[in-house]
Amino acid sequence: MFLFLLACAAEVPSVDPAVGPEAPPGTSDTADTADSGCASKEEPCNGVDDDCDGAVDEVRRPKGLVDADGDGFLGTWVECEGVSSTDAMDCADDDPSVHPDQEEVCNGKDDDCYGGADPEGSPGCIEGWLDADGDGLGGATGCFCEPGATQGGDCDDTISWMGESCALADLRAPTWLVITGQSGIEEVQDCDADGVTELYRKGSRAPMPAAGTWGWDDLEPTPGGNEDWTGDGICDEFVDDSSTRSDRYGCDAHLDYTVTDGASGEVWGAFTLDVVGSTYCWNEETTIDADGDGDRELLIYVDDGVSGPVYLVPMNGDEAEVLCEAGPFVGWGFAPSVDVDGDGIEDVPIYSGLTFGPAADNFCGYGWVSFDLWPYPLKFGDADGDGKADMVVSDASAVYVVPIPTTAGSYTAAAEAIATVGVRGESTTAVLTDADGDGRDDLVVLTRFPEGQQLHVYDHPLSGARSWADARVALNFAAEPSFRIAAGPSGLRIDVAATATEEAWTGWVRL
């Protein structure tokens, strides 16, 4: 008996009377194990209190990796004893269909945990082109789960703005006339009636050379204007001496305009107006032959910070007077005058939604149409050959060619467009101009990217949806020098910004 008791005592662990028996962390001495029927269960590493002792995966066991989804591969790290290995092989331990022995198929998952879903040649793939840069042109060919492109030809499938050609064009290569040392030179009519088109820049004119590279001073510019106000075929000089005065109460605007007859050198018309209490002291003017008599009228908008009046002033007197005043209107901005309705009389589109010219209602004795179009129009021309002006409007996703509305209403560019071109890039500029010299307006789109610039030309007539692949001309340019494009009588004009190594210049191109 004594030996039996001694043997049993050896199985009883020692207990510190001051502390009591040691219990695993989280163990509850109130756990009801009798009613649970699980007191005899083992405690595997599974995040559950299997033995109903109040503790889950007791930490007296070492840390390790376990196979949580039962597919035979370790993937889940737990705070208890699992196995001796510490190298996880299962990349999705909550999905038993994903493990290193699984075959890759086209399903969007990394089936075999080798880093990458749906590799080339996976079961279910489609023969085609891979479009890695998302520009619509494919690069590599093969069997892909998502080919991405319906046509190939991408010269570099890692650069989205590079298409069929990755060559960078020389900006001067398509330029038949270059004027160095200046940018922003405009082409104007034959201002002195000698049969030669002229160039204009800041109050000076010079004959337009046939071709070549010229400095502005080499053209021997002379003082002169760029617009025929008097209707005699000779350009007159328009001088804006307007000024503003600001103080803490706002500001006052003093409008001062003078037109000097280019033929006689005498003042043909002058107009002054004081606008008191204007908030922003901002005014804008444009000209229009509102009645078709060959004389220009001055159209002035004055912004007072809330709304502003518009004045129509015939500048055919020593002291011209306001013919009429309309408004107030909010947020105006003039666009170049065009013939909206094809009646041979100029109309002036205004960005906030008015078009001057013979139309539905009456403004200063001339018609006008109120319309709202977003985004605002940028450039104008005849895109479809119907003899009426169209607008080019662009946003972050597309360029739209939209007929100018001739009836009042609210319009959206996407709904009214007769032609669209999808675009990408940080910024887009589009103009309608005769790019190839055939006498018809083409659509020219300049798109800028962080790494470069791209120019596309779409031939007249324009209709329907176009893509980059539809462009007749596609040229890639380096990021510098940056340039702008504008429409002119002799085709596309570019204004090139100065760089650290090159002067600014203006050029005319045919594409």
Side-chain angles (χ1 to χ4, degrees):
M1 175 65 73
F2 176 77
L3 291 176
F4 174 76
L5 292 175
L6 184 61
C8 290
E11 295 178 2
V12 177
S14 61
V15 178
D16 186 344
V19 178
E22 180 181 1
T27 301
S28 171
D29 58 4
T30 61
D32 184 1
T33 59
D35 295 336
S36 65
C38 61
S40 61
K41 284 186 178 181
E42 296 183 358
E43 183 74 12
C45 241
N46 60 3
V48 179
D49 181 12
D50 300 276
D51 58 7
C52 301
D53 64 354
V56 177
D57 299 342
E58 288 84 338
V59 296
R60 63 177 179 273
R61 300 172 182 175
K63 299 178 181 179
L65 288 164
V66 298
D67 178 15
D69 57 11
D71 60 5
F73 292 88
L74 308 177
T76 303
W77 181 270
V78 296
E79 296 287 329
C80 59
E81 182 181 22
V83 295
S84 59
S85 173
T86 59
D87 296 323
M89 299 175 67
D90 196 338
C91 58
D93 209 24
D94 58 349
D95 185 350
S97 68
V98 176
H99 54 77
D101 279 351
Q102 187 63 274
E103 181 185 20
E104 280 286 351
V105 296
C106 288
N107 58 5
K109 295 193 290 187
D110 182 10
D111 301 284
D112 59 7
C113 292
Y114 280 92
D118 301 343
E120 181 181 354
S122 297
C125 64
I126 302 171
E127 293 289 337
W129 290 274
L130 180 65
D131 185 12
D133 56 11
D135 63 0
L137 294 177
T141 59
C143 195
F144 305 103
C145 293
E146 295 184 5
T150 58
Q151 61 183 16
D154 199 333
C155 62
D156 190 332
D157 207 25
T158 65
I159 305 176
S160 63
W161 61 280
M162 289 290 192
E164 296 179 350
S165 172
C166 288
L168 292 178
D170 180 0
L171 191 55
R172 295 198 184 209
T175 307
W176 59 272
L177 175 62
V178 172
I179 310 298
T180 61
Q182 305 286 350
S183 63
I185 299 173
E186 300 176 11
E187 180 184 356
V188 297
Q189 66 185 61
D190 178 12
C191 286
D192 52 9
D194 64 355
V196 179
T197 301
E198 294 181 278
L199 301 177
Y200 173 84
R201 184 181 186 274
K202 293 184 177 180
S204 296
R205 294 199 314 262
M208 185 174 187
T213 299
W214 303 79
W216 177 249
D217 292 337
D218 296 333
L219 300 178
E220 299 181 357
T222 57
N226 65 336
E227 194 168 20
D228 180 12
W229 285 77
T230 62
D232 61 0
I234 298 177
C235 289
D236 308 300
E237 181 70 17
F238 174 75
V239 177
D240 179 4
D241 282 332
S242 301
S243 62
T244 59
R245 179 188 62 81
S246 301
D247 57 30
R248 61 177 180 157
Y249 301 106
C251 63
D252 301 332
H254 174 67
L255 308 181
D256 188 352
Y257 306 100
T258 303
V259 174
T260 301
D261 190 338
S264 66
E266 298 178 355
V267 173
W268 182 72
F271 174 70
T272 60
L273 177 68
D274 290 318
V275 181
V276 180
S278 174
T279 302
Y280 292 129
C281 287
W282 177 80
N283 62 284
E284 184 176 355
E285 67 280 331
T286 190
T287 64
I288 177 177
D289 181 6
D291 51 10
D293 65 354
D295 291 346
R296 313 296 295 172
E297 287 84 43
L298 182 63
L299 201 61
I300 309 170
Y301 167 62
V302 181
D303 187 358
D304 64 2
V306 179
S307 59
V310 173
Y311 305 97
L312 184 62
V313 183
M315 296 287 285
N316 54 355
D318 290 340
E319 291 296 330
E321 297 180 355
V322 175
L323 177 64
C324 68
E325 177 181 341
F329 301 105
V330 179
W332 279 40
F334 296 122
S337 59
V338 292
D339 183 5
V340 173
D341 47 12
D343 63 356
I345 299 177
E346 286 181 292
D347 310 301
V348 176
I350 302 176
Y351 288 157
S352 67
L354 290 180
T355 301
F356 283 76
D361 297 312
N362 200 13
F363 174 81
C364 296
Y366 309 102
W368 61 273
V369 173
S370 177
F371 68 89
D372 179 21
L373 179 70
W374 182 259
Y376 285 157
L378 298 176
K379 304 296 180 183
F380 303 88
D382 184 5
D384 52 5
D386 64 355
K388 299 180 181 180
D390 305 301
M391 297 184 290
V392 179
V393 183
S394 63
D395 58 21
S397 61
V399 171
Y400 309 94
V401 179
V402 184
I404 298 180
T406 56
T407 58
S410 181
Y411 305 88
T412 60
E416 301 299 323
I418 59 175
T420 60
V421 176
V423 298
R424 291 185 300 275
E426 290 188 339
S427 64
T428 300
T429 303
V431 299
L432 287 168
T433 189
D434 182 9
D436 52 9
D438 66 354
R440 303 183 300 175
D441 285 335
D442 309 300
L443 177 64
V444 182
V445 180
L446 171 63
T447 309
R448 291 186 176 87
F449 302 87
E451 310 87 356
Q453 305 165 93
Q454 197 165 56
L455 196 69
H456 288 90
V457 179
Y458 302 87
D459 277 345
H460 179 103
L462 295 161
S463 62
R466 303 289 186 94
S467 69
W468 283 15
D470 296 325
R472 176 176 59 83
V473 176
L475 297 175
N476 305 317
F477 299 96
E480 295 293 341
S482 63
F483 63 97
R484 297 178 299 173
I485 59 175
S490 294
L492 182 68
R493 190 189 85 216
I494 60 173
D495 291 312
V496 182
T499 66
T501 59
E502 189 173 6
E503 294 181 299
W505 55 277
T506 296
W508 280 260
V509 302
R510 292 194 182 100
L511 297 168

